[in-house]
Amino acid sequence: MENIDVMLVPLRGLLLEIGNFLPRLGVALAVIVVGWLLAKGLRMGVVKALRALNFHILTERAGIDGFLKQGGSEKDTAEWFGIIAYALVLIASLIVAFNTLGLTQVTDLLGKVLLFVPRLLVALLVVVFGSYFSRFVANAVQRYFRAAGISDAELLASGVRYAVMAFVLLLAIDHLDIGGGLIQHTFLILLAGVVFALALAFGLGARERAAQLIERWFPRDPADRT
């Protein structure tokens, strides 16, 4: 009998651990189910609220929705914001569930992801409003150049728009804090290289063309403007 009792001690310990684990597992599953339901409700609420605020019109005019459609996405920007809100609540519920189970390493990883999602949301907002602002500035510059009688107004307006968008993207990447500033510095180096290459190519290979453009944009005689 004593030998049997000794052999049953590990089995009793296992059954005791299972008995302690099952209630926590039930609580974790309940938290995940409730979090999933809340996430679905929040996603629908965010999409409806953004559409009520005509946010989809803003993103459409900014060109963000067109860019997403070209990439094969059937969802507009408002729906993507709803998906981000859905993921935010779902990750929070998973953190609570895994914390209940005592899986601290998983909760630490999900906690880092949870802290990244709001930064991603703000970066997307910066891109959306920055894209709309860049198009607004480009249209204003184009109207001004046309009113001033300067040719190639559309080309100059496009250059202004791309310059503003480059600055906006740099702000968004900086807010995400990815790579410890490596991406920002690389982006600035590439941008500076492109600008320098274009200026060098235009200055050396098209001096006559540059003189013609300057003469056409700013003629000596205002009556000669075309």
Side-chain angles (χ1 to χ4, degrees), residues 109-158:
L109 178 61
L110 290 176
K112 294 179 181 179
V113 176
L114 184 64
L115 293 176
F116 177 77
V117 172
R119 293 203 300 266
L120 177 62
L121 186 63
V122 175
L124 290 176
L125 286 174
V126 170
V127 172
V128 169
F129 286 101
S131 179
Y132 182 80
F133 178 73
S134 67
R135 179 164 293 190
F136 173 79
V137 172
N139 292 333
V141 170
Q142 184 175 352
R143 288 194 297 268
Y144 174 79
F145 284 158
R146 285 181 177 176
I150 298 176
S151 303
D152 298 327
E154 295 181 358
L155 179 62
L156 295 174
S158 298

Side-chain angles (χ1 to χ4, degrees), residues 14 92 144 161 166 183 188:
L14 178 61
Y144 174 79
R161 181 185 177 189
I183 296 180
L188 286 176

Side-chain angles (χ1 to χ4, degrees), residues 86 106 118:
Y86 173 84
V106 179

Side-chain angles (χ1 to χ4, degrees), residues 21 37 41 107 146 217:
F21 179 76
L37 294 175
T107 56
R146 285 181 177 176
W217 292 346

